[in-house]
Amino acid sequence: MRREVLGSSEFWNEWVDFEYDSIAHRKKIDAMPGGDANYRPQYLFELVKSYFQLILRRYSRGDSKSDLVQHFGGLLDTWEESEKLGRNVWTAEQARTRHAWTVNLDHYIVCFWLTGLALTLNIPDEQWQRLVALMGNDGEDALLDRVIASRQSDRKIGTTLCFPNVYQRLLDAVDALPEQQPKALRVFLDHWFVSLKNAGHPSFPPSHRTPYWYTFGQINPEGGAYFGYWCVEAVAVAKAFGIDDSLCLDHPNYPGDLLMDGRSPRYPDAVAAAQPSAPARGWLRRLLGK
């Protein structure tokens, strides 16, 4: 059964297959001679996004946690090739706006998601070291650096948050007394989605200050872009700091099965069709602050 309340098993099967086909097609196109060498680094990073979106689509569909880790190898290979080629293409300013957590909200979130997936799926040490090297930004963020340091003891820890309007509540949960951490984690989760809107750096145009995937579940979700609204950041913190997440397990955005399969709600097809049911619309309105 599905973990994601929206959609049906048929929907998730269709779009998981589509993502597999998209990855294969992109790799085939990339192997062809010619093409725009200046665009190839970005083309490959779009393929990186397809890999982690595939992981989240499969999680939404209800696939076993143990089946998700297989996609990390291809993701890392592709990201490394993108970075290698990009060094000959990007200007210093382009490289900064692409990679710096302090300015690029999308990239910060992707790195947080990949860190959370890596920790909860227990990727091998060799892959972990490659991931840390690709993410970079050592000492740039007071929260994500600490999450990474839970497996990388020599990680330099930042002194400020890159995006405090979104993540101060999550840092508060980390710093809370043990008995207060479960409630504080839930408070962050309840505010997470709404707080992301327009949370990006003011140097970016307004259209790039909200995560690229933010409207995927609201505008034409049946079109296939939607891969779930999963707050991997919360489960990453629960894993890294041993926080009791039991208060979060019923939250529609909390991917609790990443820690241990069988804890998160499941939805048979009779409960919800491809369009949101009335209860689903209710939590979606609350999620959007409407």
Side-chain angles (χ1 to χ4, degrees):
M1 290 190 291
R2 295 170 285 112
R3 295 186 181 93
E4 170 56 70
V5 66
L6 301 184
S8 63
S9 295
E10 181 180 3
F11 170 89
W12 289 107
N13 287 337
E14 176 184 356
W15 292 107
V16 165
D17 289 345
F18 174 86
E19 201 76 85
Y20 272 114
D21 291 343
S22 176
I23 290 171
H25 180 70
R26 283 180 176 272
K27 291 171 71 173
K28 182 178 179 180
I29 294 296
D30 183 61
M32 293 179 177
D36 185 351
N38 290 330
Y39 180 67
R40 190 174 174 220
Q42 178 60 33
Y43 181 86
L44 288 172
F45 193 74
E46 293 300 316
L47 180 53
V48 172
K49 289 165 64 175
S50 289
Y51 275 111
F52 69 71
Q53 289 174 183
L54 174 60
I55 293 173
L56 294 174
R57 288 186 198 278
R58 293 193 62 186
Y59 181 84
S60 295
R61 182 171 70 173
D63 291 11
S64 171
K65 168 187 170 180
S66 61
D67 291 337
L68 306 180
V69 71
Q70 63 182 284
H71 303 297
F72 256 91
L75 183 154
L76 294 170
D77 290 344
T78 306
W79 194 359
E80 286 169 343
E81 183 67 11
S82 173
E83 292 298 312
K84 176 184 174 182
L85 296 172
R87 286 193 288 270
N88 299 320
V89 171
W90 303 318
T91 66
E93 179 60 17
Q94 286 173 332
R96 185 184 78 88
T97 57
R98 288 180 63 90
H99 298 105
W101 290 348
T102 53
V103 297
N104 192 326
L105 175 63
D106 268 327
H107 191 63
Y108 177 87
I109 293 172
V110 167
C111 289
F112 216 141
W113 285 358
L114 292 177
T115 298
L117 291 170
L119 291 174
T120 56
L121 299 178
N122 299 309
I123 67 172
D125 285 341
E126 180 267 340
Q127 291 186 348
W128 171 259
Q129 294 299 332
R130 292 166 64 193
L131 175 62
V132 170
L134 284 163
M135 292 191 296
N137 288 286
D138 196 43
E140 290 299 316
D141 187 71
L143 176 60
L144 183 47
D145 282 323
R146 287 173 69 179
V147 176
I148 294 171
S150 70
R151 184 168 172 175
Q152 191 83 17
S153 60
D154 60 348
R155 179 79 180 187
K156 183 180 178 182
I157 308 300
T159 58
T160 59
L161 283 170
C162 294
F163 300 99
N165 289 344
V166 182
Y167 293 102
Q168 183 61 57
R169 292 182 183 90
L170 189 54
L171 182 59
D172 290 344
V174 173
D175 291 334
L177 295 173
E179 63 271 20
Q180 297 172 348
Q181 286 180 319
K183 183 177 180 179
L185 187 63
R186 176 66 189 230
V187 168
F188 162 72
L189 194 57
D190 286 340
H191 289 85
W192 165 72
F193 189 84
V194 172
S195 69
L196 286 168
K197 189 172 184 179
N198 297 317
H201 196 274
S203 66
F204 276 46
S207 60
H208 288 74
R209 294 177 196 166
T210 300
Y212 75 91
W213 44 266
Y214 193 82
T215 62
F216 284 1
Q218 305 164 50
I219 301 173
N220 190 30
E222 65 274 14
Y226 184 60
F227 49 82
Y229 285 143
W230 298 114
C231 185
V232 181
E233 300 96 317
V235 81
V237 163
K239 170 71 173 182
F241 302 104
I243 297 175
D244 176 5
D245 65 348
S246 57
L247 294 179
C248 299
L249 292 178
D250 67 341
H251 196 286
N253 304 123
Y254 188 69
D257 278 0
L258 286 175
L259 285 179
M260 184 188 302
D261 258 338
R263 303 188 311 150
S264 297
R266 297 291 187 118
Y267 304 97
D269 285 344
V271 171
Q275 294 297 321
S277 64
R281 290 195 298 271
W283 74 252
L284 193 58
R285 283 195 298 270
R286 293 193 298 273
L287 194 66
L288 300 173
K290 297 179 179 179

